[in-house]
């Protein structure tokens, strides 16, 4: 029997159970992966809490990991037993010793990238790839605002933006996190615990504001984000770490300068095997070139997933966190 984390009802971290289960045989277009490392992400807590609905209960948790192929379905052509692989877009159930996924959701993992690095970077790194390279394609020379710059996604964004020649202003909650973001390439930081974000953006941009704001925090930062976007600029809302944004009045977009807003998801951009592998190849290239360093700052045994989620939700983590089967 293998082990996995599951939940039978929505709630806090206490609903997570560490249980025995029997992994399924892969279907015709599926691959079974023996996980070597598993990624921890805010979206995992959204499914657990009920903000997002899982397909059914009880439900597995997690959508990101890396390991070795141990079985393939009869119609699988891109992978064979023994291949090193990684994934970042589910389906749910990555918090497990063994996970069965569609072939299209997996990418080939280069030998030079460790399982822990891959598990800590796939979802976050692919998110940064589509945000900076597709949702609003940064060319270099721009000044942008990125919330939660010392988090897992944020630290990658700081580095990637610097590599592109972009000045990234990152919001943080402490001096230590400000120092961390700057060490990873942030041009400037704003500590929202005692600074007015929108006012500081005005000061740092000589009153011009920024052409794009990347906001993965959600409800708490939404007003400041709107006030930081330049006229005809774009607000990219890609997460709900502080709660979902609701009650949006479209008239505000007009009043604040004919603004654009988008709510993108990784699944929309990595919508087929070719796009996913292309995005992953660019991500892996950034890592192997040394332009992107992945900080695995926390490691927990898989059995301690509830503790890991508690620390993540309390914002007591930096960089990436992995669970180890």
């Amino acid at each position: 029997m293998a082990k996995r984390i599951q939940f039978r009802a929505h709630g806090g971290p206490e609903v997570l159970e560490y249980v025995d289960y029997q992994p399924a045989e892969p279907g015709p277009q599926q691959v079974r992966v023996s996980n070597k490392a598993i990624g921890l992400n805010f979206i995992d807590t959204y499914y657990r809490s009920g903000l997002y609905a899982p397909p059914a209960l009880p439900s597995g948790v997690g959508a990101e990991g890396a390991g070795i192929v141990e079985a393939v379905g009869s119609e699988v052509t891109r992978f064979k037993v023994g291949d090193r692989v990684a994934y970042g877009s589910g389906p749910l159930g990555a918090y497990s010793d063994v996970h069965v996924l569609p072939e299209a959701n997996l990418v080939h993992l280069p030998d030079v990238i460790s399982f822990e690095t891959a598990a800590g970077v796939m979802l976050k790194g692919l998110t940064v790839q589509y945000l900076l390279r597709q949702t609003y394609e940064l060319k270099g020379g721009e000044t942008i605002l990125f919330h939660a710059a010392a988090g897992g996604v944020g630290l990658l964004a700081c580095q990637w933006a610097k590599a592109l020649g972009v000045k990234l202003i990152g919001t943080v909650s402490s001096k230590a996190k400000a120092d961390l973001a700057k060490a990873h390439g942030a041009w400037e930081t704003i500590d929202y615990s005692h600074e007015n974000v929108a006012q500081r953006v005005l000061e740092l941009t000589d009153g011009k504001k920024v052409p794009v704001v990347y906001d993965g925090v959600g409800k708490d930062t939404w007003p400041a984000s709107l006030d930081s976007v330049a006229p005809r600029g774009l607000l990219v809302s890609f997460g709900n770490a502080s709660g979902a944004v609701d009650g949006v009045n479209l008239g505000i977009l007009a009043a604040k300068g004919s603004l654009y807003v988008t709510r993108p998801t990784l699944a929309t951009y990595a919508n087929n095997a070719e796009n996913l592998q292309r995005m992953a190849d660019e991500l892996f290239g950034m890592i192997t070139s040394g332009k992107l360093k992945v900080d695995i700052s926390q490691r927990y045994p898989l059995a301690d997933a509830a503790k890991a989620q508690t620390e993540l939700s309390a914002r007591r983590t930096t960089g990436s966190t992995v669970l180890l089967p």
Side-chain angles (χ1 to χ4, degrees):
M1 297 289 283
K3 290 283 192 178
R4 79 166 186 168
I5 297 290
Q6 67 175 29
F7 59 93
R8 299 176 184 275
H10 296 297
E14 70 280 356
V15 303
L16 297 179
E17 305 172 328
Y18 186 53
V19 299
D20 293 319
Y21 86 112
Q22 182 62 52
E25 291 298 319
Q29 297 178 342
Q30 292 181 323
V31 175
R32 193 170 69 210
V33 178
S34 174
N35 282 329
K36 302 303 179 185
I38 300 150
L40 178 76
N41 297 283
F42 264 108
I43 195 171
D44 305 343
T45 69
Y46 302 162
Y47 281 105
R48 185 210 70 220
S49 69
L51 179 62
Y52 292 173
L57 293 175
S59 173
V61 193
E64 178 183 46
I68 297 174
V69 174
E70 68 170 34
V72 298
S74 59
E75 298 177 14
V76 170
T77 59
R78 295 174 53 237
F79 302 97
K80 64 182 185 302
V81 173
D83 281 352
R84 302 175 82 250
V85 294
Y87 56 93
S89 56
L92 295 180
Y95 286 25
S96 60
D97 294 339
V98 179
H99 194 26
V100 176
L101 307 96
E103 176 186 17
N105 290 23
L106 289 166
V107 300
H108 289 279
L109 180 65
D111 291 340
V112 295
I113 296 180
S114 72
F115 294 119
E116 285 193 12
T117 295
V121 79
M122 278 295 290
L123 181 57
K124 302 174 187 70
L126 292 175
T127 296
V128 174
Q129 195 281 338
Y130 83 71
L131 290 174
L132 304 192
R133 305 289 289 143
Q134 298 186 73
T135 304
Y136 184 101
E137 187 178 0
L138 297 171
K139 303 292 187 181
E142 301 99 334
T143 300
I144 67 172
L145 179 66
F146 203 103
H147 287 291
V153 172
L155 291 180
L156 295 174
C158 288
Q159 297 174 76
W160 207 316
K162 184 177 181 180
L164 291 172
V166 172
K167 293 181 177 178
L168 183 147
I169 303 169
T171 66
V172 295
S173 60
S174 68
K175 183 181 184 304
K177 290 192 173 184
D179 292 342
L180 185 63
K182 287 185 176 180
H184 283 74
W187 172 63
E188 192 53 85
T189 58
I190 302 171
D191 187 338
Y192 58 76
S193 68
H194 66 271
E195 293 183 284
N196 183 296
V197 172
Q199 183 60 41
R200 283 292 290 140
V201 168
L202 275 176
E203 294 168 359
L204 291 168
T205 60
D206 297 324
K208 297 177 182 178
K209 302 186 180 181
V210 295
V212 59
V213 173
Y214 296 101
D215 190 341
V217 177
K219 183 177 181 180
D220 290 353
T221 50
W222 180 254
S225 292
L226 285 171
D227 287 337
S228 299
V229 183
R232 296 171 60 186
L234 176 65
L235 199 172
V236 183
S237 176
F238 67 96
N240 311 292
S242 68
V245 176
D246 56 14
V248 177
N249 179 356
L250 291 179
I252 292 176
L253 304 181
K256 294 187 180 295
S258 301
L259 305 185
Y260 295 87
V261 174
T262 185
R263 182 60 174 87
T265 65
L266 174 59
T268 309
Y269 286 88
N271 60 340
N272 58 53
E274 292 73 23
N275 285 344
L276 175 60
Q277 188 69 58
R278 176 183 54 80
M279 292 167 64
D281 287 344
E282 183 175 5
L283 170 62
F284 296 152
M286 291 290 290
I287 295 171
T288 56
S289 70
K291 294 177 181 177
L292 209 62
K293 180 183 177 184
V294 182
D295 288 328
I296 307 297
S297 301
Q298 296 84 210
R299 295 170 175 83
Y300 295 88
L302 177 59
D304 290 343
K307 179 180 179 182
Q309 286 198 2
T310 299
E311 294 299 295
L312 180 70
S313 296
R315 302 188 188 184
R316 289 192 290 264
T317 65
T318 59
S320 295
T321 301
V322 296
L323 304 173
L324 301 176

